[in-house]
Amino acid sequence: MSDKTIFKRIIDREIPADIVYEDDLCLAFRDVAPQAPTHVLVIPKQEIPALADAQDGDAPLLGHLLDTVRRLAVQLGLDGGYRVVINSGPDAGQSVDHLHLHLLAGRPLRWPPG
Ligand code: AMP
């Protein structure tokens, strides 16, 4: 049994995903259990388990992930707005230990979140 996370296995093309964007630093693919009409995950290729594990030197990569979300929102035509979510750690409900940004759009999103 591999000790890779499911997202590392997607990066390595060991399991399929509906990939919408890729570059040297990151990968974006549709969430398998979408919580909104558009639900895309943006992940770094570097294995950072959670935002809380990122280091000061990772700031350019973190900026790139957010900028990728911004460009994807344009590409996907999310003119009505969108939400970006990062769950970091158990209290936030993080279920995959590979940093990921959720891009959610296509329906009104309530606030505060659950
Ligand atoms: P989180 O709860 O913030 O850790 O989010 C993990 C997300 O990964 C959830 O929204 C899952 O639906 C999603 N997910 C888990 N496995 C896969 C997969 N194989 N392909 C796409 N999304 C996945």
Side-chain angles (χ1 to χ4, degrees):
M1 180 67 181
S2 169
D3 60 0
K4 289 180 182 180
T5 67
I6 194 124
F7 290 173
K8 176 61 174 163
R9 295 184 69 201
I10 289 173
I11 292 168
D12 291 344
R13 302 301 202 271
E14 292 176 4
I15 58 170
D18 184 356
I19 294 170
V20 295
Y21 176 78
E22 180 171 23
D23 63 26
D24 289 348
L25 297 175
C26 71
L27 189 66
F29 52 91
R30 294 191 188 276
D31 197 292
V32 76
Q35 300 302 308
T38 296
H39 188 172
V40 170
L41 301 173
V42 177
I43 68 171
K45 290 186 174 176
Q46 182 182 328
E47 290 183 272
I48 301 171
L51 183 60
D53 298 307
Q55 305 295 305
D56 290 348
D58 294 323
L61 174 61
L62 297 177
H64 180 72
L65 297 174
L66 198 56
D67 195 53
T68 297
V69 169
R70 180 188 64 80
R71 285 181 287 107
L72 266 175
V74 174
Q75 181 184 313
L76 296 172
L78 306 182
D79 302 328
Y82 54 89
R83 182 172 293 170
V84 184
V85 173
I86 300 174
N87 295 318
S88 184
D91 280 1
Q94 183 177 0
S95 62
V96 179
D97 291 332
H98 184 121
L99 173 62
H100 48 283
L101 287 69
H102 297 258
L103 168 58
L104 297 149
R107 66 169 173 84
L109 297 163
R110 285 188 300 275
W111 194 263

